[in-house]
Amino acid sequence: MKQFDRIMKDNVPGYGYMKKAMPQVGAGREPKTQPKKKTYTLTETAPSGKAVLRKGVTVTQAARKLNRYEETGLTPQEVFNLIERAHNLERRVEKLEGWQ
């Protein structure tokens, strides 16, 4: 196949671009999708408006998550900014992958 491509590239102008545009072998298969991880928060808002631990969440789990957060050294606003940036980048990648 490489010899054929080399010959075509020498004789057909723009063959490299055409080859990129042609469907590739095995491109008809759909990629394997992994199950999405369920978003899991430790707290919920009580009717009084205060944050409380969800049913089934132990204080130990909450303390471990808080410890991991504190090790980052980021403020809560910086964490929210990072999360928002990650979501924006994911949307951008999805948009660019869907462009054709």
Side-chain angles (χ1 to χ4, degrees):
M1 191 69 179
K2 288 184 181 182
Q3 291 175 346
F4 177 75
D5 287 337
R6 192 174 306 124
I7 294 169
M8 291 296 289
K9 191 175 180 185
D10 293 338
N11 295 315
V12 178
Y15 178 73
Y17 295 112
M18 293 186 332
K19 183 165 173 67
K20 287 181 183 178
M22 292 188 316
Q24 300 297 319
V25 176
R29 294 188 320 195
E30 293 184 18
K32 293 181 181 178
T33 57
Q34 296 180 356
K36 292 188 177 183
K37 290 186 177 180
K38 190 163 85 172
T39 56
Y40 183 68
T41 57
L42 298 175
T43 59
E44 62 186 3
T45 306
S48 63
K50 294 182 180 180
V52 295
L53 291 178
R54 285 183 184 260
K55 182 179 179 183
V57 175
T58 63
V59 175
T60 305
Q61 288 174 318
R64 285 183 182 149
K65 191 164 187 174
L66 178 62
N67 185 15
R68 285 193 305 258
Y69 163 75
E70 288 175 339
E71 288 175 355
T72 63
L74 300 173
T75 64
Q77 187 59 43
E78 290 172 329
V79 172
F80 287 124
N81 291 343
L82 286 174
I83 292 170
E84 185 63 29
R85 183 173 182 211
H87 289 305
N88 290 339
L89 289 173
E90 287 172 1
R91 280 190 231 115
R92 184 176 178 198
V93 168
E94 288 174 2
K95 181 181 176 184
L96 291 173
E97 285 178 348
W99 177 81
Q100 290 186 7

